[in-house]
Structures are given as C-alpha cells and as structure tokens.
Amino acid sequence: ISVLSPREKEIFRLLADGQSVKNIAQHLFISPKTVESHKYNVLTKLKAGSMGDLVKIAIRHGLLQL
C-alpha cells in the first residue's frame, strides 16, 4: 500500500468499497478517464489481477470491513 500516492490510496479505497468509476469521478470532481488511469496504476502497483484481488488486499490492510 505504501507504493501508492495519496490520490491512488483514496481511489483504491473507493473502488474496493464497490464504488463505480463514474461515481468516484463525480465524488472527487475528476474525469472518469482520470479515475481509470489511477485504477490501472493501483492494479499494477499492487500486482492485483482483478477487483476481487483489490478487495482482498483492502481487507487484509484494514481499509475495509465486512
């Protein structure tokens, strides 16, 4: 998680919480394309192959609760 920028961490938490790219973009006042770029960076940096992997990582690091 420490390899992520503050904005990537914010987007990571929202994605792992099940928010859509469109909703994240509206919430953060950025374009969906920018959210997609951050999403790609998060997946790459955390070596996650899917959104399911991101959720698992978030739970392991205490960023999400069931």
Side-chain angles (χ1 to χ4, degrees):
I1 302 294
S2 63
V3 298
L4 301 178
S5 71
R7 183 60 117 186
E8 289 169 343
K9 286 179 187 175
E10 184 176 22
I11 289 174
F12 168 51
R13 282 188 209 99
L14 293 168
L15 286 169
D17 195 36
Q19 297 293 315
S20 70
V21 168
K22 183 179 176 182
N23 286 343
I24 293 170
Q26 290 173 345
H27 177 74
L28 299 178
F29 305 104
I30 58 178
S31 76
K33 179 83 171 147
T34 301
V35 176
E36 288 287 354
S37 293
H38 286 304
K39 177 181 171 182
Y40 174 80
N41 291 339
V42 169
L43 287 166
T44 302
K45 287 180 179 181
L46 297 181
K47 297 178 176 80
S50 68
M51 290 305 297
D53 291 341
L54 279 187
V55 172
K56 290 176 191 175
I57 293 167
I59 291 169
R60 275 190 227 124
H61 286 28
L63 301 174
L64 279 183
Q65 296 183 9
L66 298 177

